[in-house]
Amino acid sequence: LLINGDFESPPAGGFTSRNEGIVDGPTTIPGWQSNGTVELVSAGEKQGAMILIIPGGTHAVRLGNEAQIRQDLTVEKGAVYAVTFSAARTCAQLESLNVSVEPTRASSSVDLQTVYTDQGWDSYAWAFEADDKDVKLTLINTGMDEDPTCGPIIDDVAIKKMFLPDRPKDNVVVNGDFEEGPWVFKNESLGVLLPTNLDEETSPLPGWIVESNRAVRYVDSYHFDIPQGKRAIELLSGKEGIISQMVDTTPKKQYTLSFSMGQGGDKCKEPLAIMAFAGDQAQNYHYTPDSNSTARHQGLNFTARADRTRIAFYSVYYNTRIDHISSLCGPVLDDVRVWGTSTSSRIRPFFAFAFWLLLFLFLLV
């Protein structure tokens, strides 16, 4: 967590009720600076007939029109960091949150319009490369609603330094097992959403980009069924939730793309299917859970056409949970590998066929 990243540290005057909780100053919230209508809210509080949702603990912060909270951070210059935070939409329909870091000048708008779970809130991850060792992280509600106190509720803000995993000798995919990714709280049962991010250099999922207008979900083995290891990706929102990577290849050389797919154990409605792309090849793969395994290995052969080849995945269907039709889910992807097919393995079947053909002709004569 950042300093008071869960907003559970009480201000100087203690926590107050919602009617008295409006603050407007740089030091009211311990560890944070604020501008605009910033409100400390507590679990169970109401706005009219609506109960305000607190993602974690008993307190959170709410950002009104053009309001912002900021915190100074000391980081390693040149390193990439992922920021994880939880957010709940309130009274406005088109709420979004702008996340930025200065002097890095990294900035992105995170769309909060789509709520992916029935809990009413989601966790998100966003990444930046530090241009200096002293930076300022800012969260801004850019909306202008008729009610100036309307705006997203923010909670559980954390940061993690990212590392680019070494590429295995027998696999040209970087971070194909998804073990390196943003911070996930152990008590976080919903996973972390990875919104659109087209910059692989500053991705919260090293090596990968999210190139669609909907998010994919980063999940862990504490709360989901994972094909292997501790982390994986759950593909959401059909064609609107795509992850991809450009891998190094040799033109005209044959390769095999393999991956594991399964059901995350979150009661996702069948059918489950993944569309896989490798260069100019594409194929969809269906998965039906059985009692013997929770995952299945799949493979796709392709011939590289260039020095770099795009591999990509998305869910064929728009799936929801059986017990919560408003909660989006999908097949789980893990253990992505791409390796070159050896020349000998392709030639060997030909020679075997030729040998038996000649033997047959000899016996025939």
Side-chain angles (χ1 to χ4, degrees):
L1 280 175
L2 299 187
I3 298 174
N4 194 26
D6 56 4
F7 303 101
E8 298 297 335
S9 298
F15 291 110
T16 59
S17 67
R18 184 175 182 276
N19 293 332
E20 303 171 319
I22 303 296
V23 298
D24 192 3
T27 59
T28 305
I29 304 174
W32 296 88
Q33 305 166 35
S34 63
N35 278 333
T37 303
V38 178
E39 181 181 5
L40 282 168
V41 294
S42 303
E45 291 185 2
K46 292 184 178 181
Q47 178 178 342
M50 178 182 65
I51 298 177
L52 298 181
I53 297 174
I54 307 300
T58 55
H59 298 95
V61 69
R62 183 177 184 177
L63 305 180
N65 287 344
E66 298 186 316
Q68 62 178 260
I69 53 173
R70 305 182 306 278
Q71 187 168 135
D72 296 323
L73 306 176
T74 300
V75 294
E76 180 183 328
K77 184 177 179 179
V80 174
Y81 290 84
V83 176
T84 301
F85 60 91
S86 299
R89 199 184 72 189
T90 55
C91 36
Q93 291 296 313
L94 300 177
E95 288 181 5
S96 63
L97 186 72
N98 184 272
V99 189
S100 63
V101 168
E102 296 178 349
T104 301
R105 297 184 181 178
S107 178
S108 182
S109 180
V110 178
D111 178 23
L112 305 180
Q113 179 179 1
T114 300
V115 180
Y116 289 75
T117 70
D118 66 308
Q119 302 295 316
W121 60 273
D122 291 294
S123 290
Y124 301 82
W126 174 80
F128 69 94
E129 181 178 353
D131 288 345
D132 202 336
K133 66 182 182 68
D134 297 314
V135 300
K136 186 184 292 291
L137 172 69
T138 305
L139 306 176
I140 307 173
N141 171 25
T142 57
M144 287 294 294
D145 197 79
E146 292 182 3
D147 183 348
T149 64
C150 270
I153 292 176
I154 310 301
D155 204 357
D156 292 337
V157 187
I159 190 169
K160 177 186 175 184
K161 182 180 176 182
M162 307 302 294
F163 295 92
L164 189 64
D166 294 332
R167 184 184 287 113
K169 292 181 180 180
D170 59 346
N171 184 12
V172 298
V173 179
V174 176
N175 197 24
D177 56 5
F178 305 111
E179 293 300 307
E180 181 63 17
W183 181 260
V184 180
F185 293 99
K186 286 189 176 181
N187 61 350
E188 173 56 84
S189 61
L190 304 179
V192 177
L193 294 178
L194 307 180
T196 303
N197 179 12
L198 300 179
D199 184 2
E200 63 180 336
E201 299 298 324
T202 57
S203 170
L205 188 66
W208 298 88
I209 64 173
V210 181
E211 60 175 68
S212 50
N213 60 354
R214 293 288 178 90
V216 298
R217 179 180 288 139
Y218 191 58
V219 296
D220 63 8
S221 60
Y222 293 102
H223 306 97
F224 293 80
D225 291 338
I226 304 298
Q228 64 92 27
K230 296 291 186 182
R231 304 285 188 268
I233 291 293
E234 186 177 26
L235 299 172
L236 311 172
S237 308
K239 297 179 181 179
E240 297 181 278
I242 304 172
I243 65 165
S244 67
Q245 182 175 145
M246 297 294 293
V247 299
D248 295 332
T249 52
T250 301
K252 298 182 181 179
K253 183 176 180 179
Q254 290 195 349
Y255 291 85
T256 296
L257 164 67
S258 71
F259 59 93
S260 297
M261 64 180 295
Q263 209 268 8
D266 53 355
K267 300 180 181 179
C268 198
K269 221 182 257 188
E270 298 177 19
L272 298 174
I274 287 179
M275 179 68 77
F277 296 83
D280 57 1
Q281 297 295 309
Q283 187 172 333
N284 64 58
Y285 300 86
H286 284 71
Y287 172 74
T288 302
D290 58 49
S291 58
N292 296 322
S293 66
T294 58
R296 178 180 300 167
H297 295 283
Q298 307 286 9
L300 173 64
N301 297 322
F302 68 96
T303 301
R305 308 297 181 191
D307 293 333
R308 302 198 78 197
T309 299
R310 173 181 175 267
I311 61 172
F313 305 89
Y314 67 73
S315 173
V316 174
Y317 305 108
Y318 290 79
N319 301 91
T320 58
R321 287 177 50 172
I322 296 173
D323 54 348
H324 296 290
I325 196 170
S326 61
S327 294
L328 297 179
C329 59
V332 171
L333 173 72
D334 204 356
D335 194 24
V336 181
R337 299 173 180 268
V338 171
W339 68 90
T341 305
S342 65
T343 303
S344 60
S345 66
R346 299 196 305 270
I347 294 178
R348 193 178 298 115
F350 169 78
F351 279 110
F353 172 77
F355 171 79
W356 289 108
L357 179 62
L358 290 173
L359 180 62
F360 172 76
L361 293 175
F362 174 77
L363 295 174
L364 186 64
V365 172

